[in-house]
Amino acid sequence: MGEPYVVTARATLTGDGLSVARFTEQAAATGVGVAFSGGGTRAAVTAMGVLRALEHLGYLPQIRAISAVSGGAWFSVPFTYLPPSHDERVFLGTHLSDPGALRWRRGDAPEAIDSVTPGSFLEAASCFELGARGLLKGMQEDRLAGVPSDRVWTRRVSEALLRRYGLCEYDDAHAAADFFAADAQAAAAIQRESPALAGRTCHVVRTSDAMPRPFLIVNGALRVRAEGGEEVLAPVQFTPSFSGVMGAGIGTLDGREVGGGGVSSYAFDGEWIAGAPGAMQIRQRAPMSLCDILGVTSVYYADLLGDHDFHLLSPTYTYASPLWTPPAGARGVYVDGGSVESTGVANLLSYGDIDRVIAVVSSPAALERRGDDIVVERQVGSLFGIREWNQKHGGYARYDAPGEGNPDYAHNQVFAADDGEFLALTRAMGAREAAGEPIVVEQTLRVVDNPKYAVTGGRRVRVLWLLLSPAARWRAALHPAVSLRIPPSFPNIPTAITRPPRGHVHALAQFAGWAMEQRADALARLFAAG
C-alpha cells in the first residue's frame, strides 16, 4: 500500500431514516426496486437478461433502486458506472421475444448465440480471465508480482469485469488508484475537500436519458463476534454515496458494536482519527474503489480457490462505525454478500420508499417436488423466517424452532409468515412449473421489523418473484438444433462454472428476459400500483 493520507468524509446515520430520495434525485420517483441475487456468472447473465427485458418493455426509467449480490453485482456495477465512451445499448444487448428465433451459429445478429458482440456484457461474462484457468493463472501472476493476498481476488475479478470498461486502476503498490461517487458534482466536492484525492480518477454513475440508472446497493458482509462469542456476519451496503453496516444489534469488532450507519464510500477503508460525523477526518492508504466492492460481494470464489494453495484471500479493510468516538478503526474481514443474505431483498427493504420489489433469484438448482412439498432455494425461505427443507425434520420448519440450516440466515426474516405466506408462494411456484411456464409469481406481503438490516416493518409491499428454473414451454419453442445443445439442467448453470460456453451464456440472457416478459400482466400491475 501507498503512504497514508487524510480525507474528509461524512457519516450517514441509520437513525435519520433511509430512503432512496435522501441520497439521489436522479432515481425514478417510484417505489419499485429490483433485487438481483448471487450466483456467479449465472446470476450476472440472468440479471442482464431481466434488465434488458424491462428496458424493452419501457420499465427501466421507472425503477428506483437495484440491490445486487455477488454475481448480480458483476453485471450491475459496470452497468451503473459504464463510462460514456462505451455504448450502453451494445453493453446491454438485444432482447428477443421469440425463443424460436435463436440459432446456434456465429455472427452479429442477436439471434446468433454462439458468438458475443464486442463491448457487450456477455463478452466479459464469457472471457478467459473469468474462467477457473484464467483466474488461477492471474492469481499466480499477482502473487509473484507482490499483490497482497487479501487483494488478489478483488484484483482478478476486476481485471475480468471492469478493466475493459476503464473502471479499474491500480498504483505501483497494487493499491486502488481510483474511487467512485454518485455524480460529477459529488466527485468535484470530494476532491475539493480532500486534496489527496485530487487528480485521481473518480467513476460516476452513468447519466442517460435512454437508460436512467437506478440507485445501486451492492451487498457485502463483515465478520463480527456475537454476544456469545461466536462468529456471525453483519450485512454491509456499498452505495454511490455511502458504505457501511446500516443495521444494529449484530455483534462487535475489536470489542465495539458495529452498525448504525456508514461513511462516504471513498473513505470506507480508513481510520477515523478526528472530527465530528459531519466532517470526519479519515486516514487511509487507498480509497475504496469499484474493484473493492465487486471483490467483496463475490469473495465466495476465493474460498473455493483455497484448495489451490491460495490462502487468506478474503479482503480486509479498516472499519469504523460513525457511532464510535475517534480515534477509531478496526481491521475487519469481509465476505461474500450471499453468505449472509443472497437475494438482496433485505437490504433493499431498508429503504422506506421501496414498496414494490422484483426479486430475481438465480437459484443454482431447479425447483423440486418432495412428496407434497415444493422445495425452492433456501435463500427465499429465510426471508420468511423459514429454514431450508429437511426431510429429517419433516420438511420446512421455522428458524425460531429447533432444526438445521445456515445459521447466518437465521435472522433474515423481513416478511410475515404467520398466515402461510411462504407455503402459498411455493405452491404458486410449483403450479407455474407444472404448467411448463417460467416461475414468475406475484404476492402482496407484510414487512416485519428486522434491526439486522435496518428494516422497519408495518408496510405492505408487492413482490414479483422470478425463480430461475427450467420452463418446458421455452424449451419446446427452441429450434431443434439449439435445443440439442442446451443441457437438461439449463438454466441452472452451476455456480462454480464461472465461464460457461458462449451459447449457454447467450441463451441464459434470452431465457431470463423471456421469463420476465411472459408476466407482462403482473409487471403492468406492479408498476401501476402506488
Side-chain angles (χ1 to χ4, degrees):
M1 295 289 183
E3 292 298 315
Y5 57 87
V6 176
V7 297
T8 300
R10 290 176 174 78
T12 295
L13 300 179
T14 306
D16 293 337
L18 296 180
S19 67
V20 176
R22 176 182 170 187
F23 304 109
T24 178
E25 297 178 355
Q26 296 183 33
T30 71
V32 180
V34 178
F36 290 132
S37 82
T41 303
R42 179 189 66 250
V45 176
T46 297
M48 173 189 178
V50 167
L51 200 72
R52 192 162 67 183
L54 293 172
E55 192 276 334
H56 172 78
L57 295 169
Y59 291 124
L60 178 55
Q62 299 179 55
I63 299 172
R64 188 160 211 170
I66 289 175
S67 177
V69 185
S70 196
W74 285 4
F75 164 76
S76 301
V77 168
F79 172 74
T80 299
Y81 292 93
L82 191 71
S85 56
H86 292 263
D87 190 318
E88 60 188 356
R89 293 210 171 274
V90 171
F91 177 87
L92 196 59
T94 303
H95 169 77
L96 295 176
S97 298
D98 179 14
L102 301 179
R103 294 292 182 270
W104 199 281
R105 63 169 182 251
R106 298 187 178 185
D108 296 330
E111 63 268 18
I113 64 173
D114 194 29
S115 60
V116 293
T117 303
S120 78
F121 178 73
L122 291 182
E123 181 184 36
S126 58
C127 70
F128 171 78
E129 292 82 1
L130 196 59
R133 290 176 59 192
L135 287 170
L136 286 169
K137 179 177 180 292
M139 293 169 82
Q140 289 168 343
E141 292 172 349
D142 285 344
R143 187 166 63 176
L144 291 173
V147 176
S149 60
D150 67 341
R151 291 295 186 271
V152 167
W153 171 251
T154 60
R155 179 73 170 254
R156 280 302 100 211
V157 71
S158 300
E159 288 290 332
L161 295 169
L162 297 180
R163 173 74 72 182
R164 66 188 65 241
Y165 307 115
L167 296 174
C168 175
E169 294 181 14
Y170 294 95
D171 61 22
D172 293 339
H174 308 293
D178 52 0
F179 63 103
F180 60 97
D183 52 41
Q185 183 177 358
I190 292 167
Q191 292 176 320
R192 183 172 59 252
E193 295 175 3
S194 301
L197 298 180
R200 292 179 182 252
T201 300
C202 180
H203 307 293
V204 299
V205 175
R206 174 75 171 258
T207 300
S208 170
D209 293 332
M211 295 185 192
R213 280 7 182 220
F215 180 73
L216 179 62
I217 307 150
V218 174
N219 295 245
L222 170 65
R223 291 181 181 174
V224 299
R225 291 289 174 187
E227 187 175 356
E230 69 275 17
E231 184 179 273
V232 295
L233 298 179
V236 180
Q237 294 188 25
F238 298 101
T239 81
S241 302
F242 68 90
S243 296
V245 178
M246 308 311 290
I250 307 165
T252 62
L253 182 66
D254 197 26
R256 288 169 288 188
E257 191 78 24
V258 303
V263 301
S264 304
S265 289
Y266 59 89
F268 182 75
D269 179 22
E271 180 186 6
W272 182 11
I273 58 174
M280 305 168 74
Q281 299 300 297
I282 304 289
R283 180 167 56 210
Q284 60 180 181
R285 292 178 180 272
M288 200 71 176
S289 70
L290 296 178
C291 306
D292 293 308
I293 67 173
L294 202 66
V296 167
T297 192
S298 61
V299 76
Y300 159 81
Y301 287 98
D303 293 335
L304 291 181
L305 293 167
D307 293 334
H308 295 271
D309 197 31
F310 289 98
H311 306 290
L312 305 175
L313 293 178
S314 294
T316 62
Y317 299 95
T318 299
Y319 171 84
S321 165
L323 300 183
W324 293 356
T325 301
R331 205 68 178 169
V333 177
Y334 291 77
V335 301
D336 194 298
S339 296
V340 65
E341 201 281 283
S342 193
T343 70
V345 170
N347 270 334
L348 184 61
L349 290 177
S350 69
Y351 294 82
D353 50 0
I354 296 297
D355 58 13
R356 285 160 281 166
V357 176
I358 299 174
V360 181
V361 182
S362 299
S363 175
L367 176 146
E368 293 184 62
R369 297 175 184 273
R370 304 279 182 87
D372 294 332
D373 288 340
I374 305 297
V375 180
V376 300
E377 170 60 25
R378 62 181 182 173
Q379 55 189 292
V380 177
S382 73
L383 297 175
F384 294 84
I386 304 295
R387 296 177 186 272
E388 61 191 277
W389 192 92
N390 187 304
Q391 185 174 10
K392 184 172 66 175
H393 294 283
Y396 287 116
R398 297 180 65 95
Y399 265 105
D400 56 12
E404 299 176 1
N406 186 339
D408 288 310
Y409 285 8
H411 302 288
N412 287 356
Q413 184 175 4
V414 292
F415 295 130
D418 295 337
D419 296 322
E421 290 89 343
F422 174 66
L423 292 180
L425 173 61
T426 64
R427 287 194 295 268
M429 288 179 167
R432 295 283 299 176
E433 186 266 348
E437 296 294 324
I439 300 178
V440 185
V441 173
E442 56 184 324
Q443 274 190 308
T444 298
L445 298 166
R446 179 170 60 85
V447 177
V448 299
D449 288 331
N450 189 321
K452 175 181 174 181
Y453 291 93
V455 172
T456 301
R459 70 189 192 273
R460 298 187 72 81
V461 297
R462 284 175 173 261
V463 183
L464 188 62
W465 301 93
L466 187 157
L467 181 73
L468 199 66
S469 194
R473 184 159 68 86
W474 184 82
R475 171 76 71 167
L478 294 175
H479 185 281
V482 174
S483 183
L484 284 172
R485 291 174 177 263
I486 301 294
S489 60
F490 183 89
N492 302 101
I493 298 169
T495 306
I497 298 178
T498 52
R499 189 196 180 201
R502 285 191 304 262
H504 295 176
V505 168
H506 216 312
L508 177 55
Q510 295 295 350
F511 174 86
W514 173 84
M516 193 86 267
E517 189 178 17
Q518 301 317 293
R519 293 308 310 271
D521 58 333
L523 284 169
R525 287 190 290 271
L526 184 84
F527 281 95

mmCIF file of all heavy atoms in Angstrom, residues 40-42 45 122 125-127 130-131 490 493-506 508:
data_model
loop_
_atom_site.group_PDB
_atom_site.id
_atom_site.type_symbol
_atom_site.label_atom_id
_atom_site.label_comp_id
_atom_site.label_asym_id
_atom_site.label_seq_id
_atom_site.Cartn_x
_atom_site.Cartn_y
_atom_site.Cartn_z
ATOM 1 N N GLY A 40 -22.799 -16.119 -9.160
ATOM 2 C CA GLY A 40 -21.729 -16.078 -10.142
ATOM 3 C C GLY A 40 -22.187 -15.616 -11.516
ATOM 4 O O GLY A 40 -23.055 -14.758 -11.661
ATOM 5 N N THR A 41 -21.590 -16.218 -12.539
ATOM 6 C CA THR A 41 -21.908 -15.830 -13.913
ATOM 7 C C THR A 41 -23.370 -16.098 -14.229
ATOM 8 O O THR A 41 -24.002 -15.342 -14.976
ATOM 9 C CB THR A 41 -20.995 -16.581 -14.893
ATOM 10 O OG1 THR A 41 -19.626 -16.304 -14.562
ATOM 11 C CG2 THR A 41 -21.259 -16.163 -16.328
ATOM 12 N N ARG A 42 -23.913 -17.171 -13.679
ATOM 13 C CA ARG A 42 -25.343 -17.457 -13.882
ATOM 14 C C ARG A 42 -26.188 -16.269 -13.435
ATOM 15 O O ARG A 42 -27.097 -15.824 -14.149
ATOM 16 C CB ARG A 42 -25.733 -18.706 -13.095
ATOM 17 C CG ARG A 42 -27.198 -19.096 -13.203
ATOM 18 C CD ARG A 42 -27.568 -20.201 -12.228
ATOM 19 N NE ARG A 42 -27.487 -19.783 -10.834
ATOM 20 C CZ ARG A 42 -26.581 -20.206 -9.963
ATOM 21 N NH1 ARG A 42 -25.657 -21.062 -10.330
ATOM 22 N NH2 ARG A 42 -26.585 -19.769 -8.711
ATOM 23 N N VAL A 45 -25.614 -12.988 -15.716
ATOM 24 C CA VAL A 45 -26.272 -13.028 -17.022
ATOM 25 C C VAL A 45 -27.788 -13.000 -16.867
ATOM 26 O O VAL A 45 -28.497 -12.381 -17.664
ATOM 27 C CB VAL A 45 -25.808 -14.263 -17.811
ATOM 28 C CG1 VAL A 45 -26.558 -14.383 -19.119
ATOM 29 C CG2 VAL A 45 -24.299 -14.175 -18.068
ATOM 30 N N LEU A 122 -21.927 -9.677 -22.246
ATOM 31 C CA LEU A 122 -21.710 -11.099 -22.469
ATOM 32 C C LEU A 122 -20.272 -11.397 -22.863
ATOM 33 O O LEU A 122 -19.769 -12.492 -22.609
ATOM 34 C CB LEU A 122 -22.661 -11.617 -23.554
ATOM 35 C CG LEU A 122 -24.148 -11.665 -23.178
ATOM 36 C CD1 LEU A 122 -24.957 -12.250 -24.327
ATOM 37 C CD2 LEU A 122 -24.365 -12.463 -21.910
ATOM 38 N N ALA A 125 -18.659 -11.712 -19.565
ATOM 39 C CA ALA A 125 -19.147 -12.882 -18.842
ATOM 40 C C ALA A 125 -18.614 -14.196 -19.389
ATOM 41 O O ALA A 125 -18.679 -15.219 -18.708
ATOM 42 C CB ALA A 125 -20.680 -12.892 -18.864
ATOM 43 N N SER A 126 -18.079 -14.170 -20.602
ATOM 44 C CA SER A 126 -17.551 -15.401 -21.196
ATOM 45 C C SER A 126 -16.058 -15.309 -21.491
ATOM 46 O O SER A 126 -15.519 -16.125 -22.235
ATOM 47 C CB SER A 126 -18.317 -15.725 -22.488
ATOM 48 O OG SER A 126 -18.224 -14.651 -23.416
ATOM 49 N N CYS A 127 -15.367 -14.329 -20.884
ATOM 50 C CA CYS A 127 -13.952 -14.135 -21.186
ATOM 51 C C CYS A 127 -13.082 -15.175 -20.464
ATOM 52 O O CYS A 127 -13.464 -15.736 -19.432
ATOM 53 C CB CYS A 127 -13.501 -12.728 -20.806
ATOM 54 S SG CYS A 127 -13.428 -12.389 -19.028
ATOM 55 N N LEU A 130 -12.245 -14.835 -16.636
ATOM 56 C CA LEU A 130 -13.248 -15.140 -15.632
ATOM 57 C C LEU A 130 -13.378 -16.635 -15.373
ATOM 58 O O LEU A 130 -13.980 -17.050 -14.386
ATOM 59 C CB LEU A 130 -14.606 -14.556 -16.052
ATOM 60 C CG LEU A 130 -15.688 -14.448 -14.976
ATOM 61 C CD1 LEU A 130 -15.216 -13.585 -13.819
ATOM 62 C CD2 LEU A 130 -16.979 -13.882 -15.569
ATOM 63 N N GLY A 131 -12.837 -17.451 -16.248
ATOM 64 C CA GLY A 131 -12.886 -18.891 -16.057
ATOM 65 C C GLY A 131 -11.909 -19.358 -14.998
ATOM 66 O O GLY A 131 -11.007 -18.615 -14.589
ATOM 67 N N PHE A 490 -30.345 -26.787 -17.769
ATOM 68 C CA PHE A 490 -30.431 -25.364 -18.083
ATOM 69 C C PHE A 490 -31.797 -24.838 -17.629
ATOM 70 O O PHE A 490 -32.803 -25.521 -17.802
ATOM 71 C CB PHE A 490 -30.285 -25.180 -19.603
ATOM 72 C CG PHE A 490 -30.277 -23.756 -20.062
ATOM 73 C CD1 PHE A 490 -29.101 -23.050 -20.148
ATOM 74 C CD2 PHE A 490 -31.461 -23.113 -20.406
ATOM 75 C CE1 PHE A 490 -29.091 -21.737 -20.577
ATOM 76 C CE2 PHE A 490 -31.461 -21.799 -20.824
ATOM 77 C CZ PHE A 490 -30.277 -21.107 -20.912
ATOM 78 N N ILE A 493 -27.185 -23.222 -14.356
ATOM 79 C CA ILE A 493 -25.753 -23.449 -14.550
ATOM 80 C C ILE A 493 -25.070 -23.435 -13.182
ATOM 81 O O ILE A 493 -25.308 -22.534 -12.371
ATOM 82 C CB ILE A 493 -25.161 -22.361 -15.453
ATOM 83 C CG1 ILE A 493 -25.806 -22.408 -16.844
ATOM 84 C CG2 ILE A 493 -23.649 -22.483 -15.556
ATOM 85 C CD1 ILE A 493 -25.477 -21.216 -17.722
ATOM 86 N N PRO A 494 -24.232 -24.417 -12.858
ATOM 87 C CA PRO A 494 -23.581 -24.443 -11.539
ATOM 88 C C PRO A 494 -22.812 -23.160 -11.233
ATOM 89 O O PRO A 494 -22.157 -22.580 -12.107
ATOM 90 C CB PRO A 494 -22.631 -25.645 -11.649
ATOM 91 C CG PRO A 494 -23.270 -26.536 -12.668
ATOM 92 C CD PRO A 494 -23.890 -25.599 -13.668
ATOM 93 N N THR A 495 -22.907 -22.736 -9.991
ATOM 94 C CA THR A 495 -22.247 -21.501 -9.571
ATOM 95 C C THR A 495 -20.735 -21.574 -9.782
ATOM 96 O O THR A 495 -20.090 -20.569 -10.095
ATOM 97 C CB THR A 495 -22.554 -21.220 -8.090
ATOM 98 O OG1 THR A 495 -23.978 -21.223 -7.893
ATOM 99 C CG2 THR A 495 -21.992 -19.879 -7.653
ATOM 100 N N ALA A 496 -20.154 -22.757 -9.606
ATOM 101 C CA ALA A 496 -18.702 -22.908 -9.733
ATOM 102 C C ALA A 496 -18.219 -22.723 -11.166
ATOM 103 O O ALA A 496 -17.026 -22.489 -11.389
ATOM 104 C CB ALA A 496 -18.274 -24.279 -9.219
ATOM 105 N N ILE A 497 -19.118 -22.810 -12.149
ATOM 106 C CA ILE A 497 -18.722 -22.610 -13.549
ATOM 107 C C ILE A 497 -18.811 -21.117 -13.841
ATOM 108 O O ILE A 497 -19.885 -20.569 -14.101
ATOM 109 C CB ILE A 497 -19.620 -23.414 -14.509
ATOM 110 C CG1 ILE A 497 -19.479 -24.913 -14.231
ATOM 111 C CG2 ILE A 497 -19.255 -23.112 -15.962
ATOM 112 C CD1 ILE A 497 -20.352 -25.782 -15.100
ATOM 113 N N THR A 498 -17.683 -20.452 -13.778
ATOM 114 C CA THR A 498 -17.658 -19.004 -13.971
ATOM 115 C C THR A 498 -17.529 -18.597 -15.438
ATOM 116 O O THR A 498 -17.701 -17.427 -15.772
ATOM 117 C CB THR A 498 -16.491 -18.380 -13.180
ATOM 118 O OG1 THR A 498 -15.281 -19.074 -13.517
ATOM 119 C CG2 THR A 498 -16.741 -18.490 -11.687
ATOM 120 N N ARG A 499 -17.205 -19.581 -16.290
ATOM 121 C CA ARG A 499 -17.092 -19.273 -17.715
ATOM 122 C C ARG A 499 -17.844 -20.334 -18.530
ATOM 123 O O ARG A 499 -17.252 -21.218 -19.130
ATOM 124 C CB ARG A 499 -15.622 -19.221 -18.146
ATOM 125 C CG ARG A 499 -15.436 -18.680 -19.566
ATOM 126 C CD ARG A 499 -14.058 -19.002 -20.095
ATOM 127 N NE ARG A 499 -13.859 -18.489 -21.444
ATOM 128 C CZ ARG A 499 -12.926 -18.955 -22.278
ATOM 129 N NH1 ARG A 499 -12.130 -19.949 -21.909
ATOM 130 N NH2 ARG A 499 -12.805 -18.440 -23.481
ATOM 131 N N PRO A 500 -19.174 -20.237 -18.567
ATOM 132 C CA PRO A 500 -19.949 -21.192 -19.362
ATOM 133 C C PRO A 500 -19.690 -20.978 -20.851
ATOM 134 O O PRO A 500 -19.177 -19.927 -21.267
ATOM 135 C CB PRO A 500 -21.411 -20.851 -19.002
ATOM 136 C CG PRO A 500 -21.332 -19.971 -17.797
ATOM 137 C CD PRO A 500 -20.022 -19.273 -17.877
ATOM 138 N N PRO A 501 -20.048 -21.946 -21.691
ATOM 139 C CA PRO A 501 -19.913 -21.765 -23.143
ATOM 140 C C PRO A 501 -20.695 -20.535 -23.617
ATOM 141 O O PRO A 501 -21.734 -20.186 -23.046
ATOM 142 C CB PRO A 501 -20.512 -23.050 -23.716
ATOM 143 C CG PRO A 501 -20.374 -24.057 -22.622
ATOM 144 C CD PRO A 501 -20.534 -23.295 -21.344
ATOM 145 N N ARG A 502 -20.180 -19.898 -24.652
ATOM 146 C CA ARG A 502 -20.831 -18.682 -25.171
ATOM 147 C C ARG A 502 -22.316 -18.899 -25.449
ATOM 148 O O ARG A 502 -23.154 -18.053 -25.129
ATOM 149 C CB ARG A 502 -20.142 -18.227 -26.460
ATOM 150 C CG ARG A 502 -18.804 -17.558 -26.295
ATOM 151 C CD ARG A 502 -18.376 -16.932 -27.620
ATOM 152 N NE ARG A 502 -18.349 -17.927 -28.693
ATOM 153 C CZ ARG A 502 -17.250 -18.549 -29.111
ATOM 154 N NH1 ARG A 502 -16.099 -18.284 -28.514
ATOM 155 N NH2 ARG A 502 -17.285 -19.426 -30.098
ATOM 156 N N GLY A 503 -22.629 -20.017 -26.091
ATOM 157 C CA GLY A 503 -24.019 -20.261 -26.444
ATOM 158 C C GLY A 503 -24.920 -20.370 -25.227
ATOM 159 O O GLY A 503 -26.069 -19.901 -25.249
ATOM 160 N N HIS A 504 -24.413 -20.964 -24.155
ATOM 161 C CA HIS A 504 -25.212 -21.094 -22.936
ATOM 162 C C HIS A 504 -25.407 -19.736 -22.279
ATOM 163 O O HIS A 504 -26.489 -19.447 -21.745
ATOM 164 C CB HIS A 504 -24.537 -22.052 -21.968
ATOM 165 C CG HIS A 504 -24.468 -23.457 -22.474
ATOM 166 N ND1 HIS A 504 -23.825 -24.473 -21.786
ATOM 167 C CD2 HIS A 504 -24.954 -24.034 -23.610
ATOM 168 C CE1 HIS A 504 -23.928 -25.598 -22.472
ATOM 169 N NE2 HIS A 504 -24.592 -25.351 -23.586
ATOM 170 N N VAL A 505 -24.376 -18.915 -22.274
ATOM 171 C CA VAL A 505 -24.471 -17.574 -21.707
ATOM 172 C C VAL A 505 -25.506 -16.757 -22.472
ATOM 173 O O VAL A 505 -26.383 -16.106 -21.882
ATOM 174 C CB VAL A 505 -23.090 -16.886 -21.726
ATOM 175 C CG1 VAL A 505 -23.216 -15.409 -21.429
ATOM 176 C CG2 VAL A 505 -22.153 -17.540 -20.721
ATOM 177 N N HIS A 506 -25.403 -16.781 -23.789
ATOM 178 C CA HIS A 506 -26.330 -16.029 -24.632
ATOM 179 C C HIS A 506 -27.761 -16.524 -24.422
ATOM 180 O O HIS A 506 -28.708 -15.730 -24.272
ATOM 181 C CB HIS A 506 -25.931 -16.202 -26.098
ATOM 182 C CG HIS A 506 -26.134 -15.002 -26.940
ATOM 183 N ND1 HIS A 506 -27.303 -14.277 -26.941
ATOM 184 C CD2 HIS A 506 -25.321 -14.395 -27.853
ATOM 185 C CE1 HIS A 506 -27.204 -13.286 -27.808
ATOM 186 N NE2 HIS A 506 -26.010 -13.332 -28.365
ATOM 187 N N LEU A 508 -29.002 -18.053 -21.837
ATOM 188 C CA LEU A 508 -29.479 -17.732 -20.497
ATOM 189 C C LEU A 508 -30.013 -16.304 -20.430
ATOM 190 O O LEU A 508 -31.067 -16.054 -19.819
ATOM 191 C CB LEU A 508 -28.353 -17.924 -19.484
ATOM 192 C CG LEU A 508 -28.668 -17.552 -18.037
ATOM 193 C CD1 LEU A 508 -29.901 -18.291 -17.525
ATOM 194 C CD2 LEU A 508 -27.464 -17.823 -17.139
#
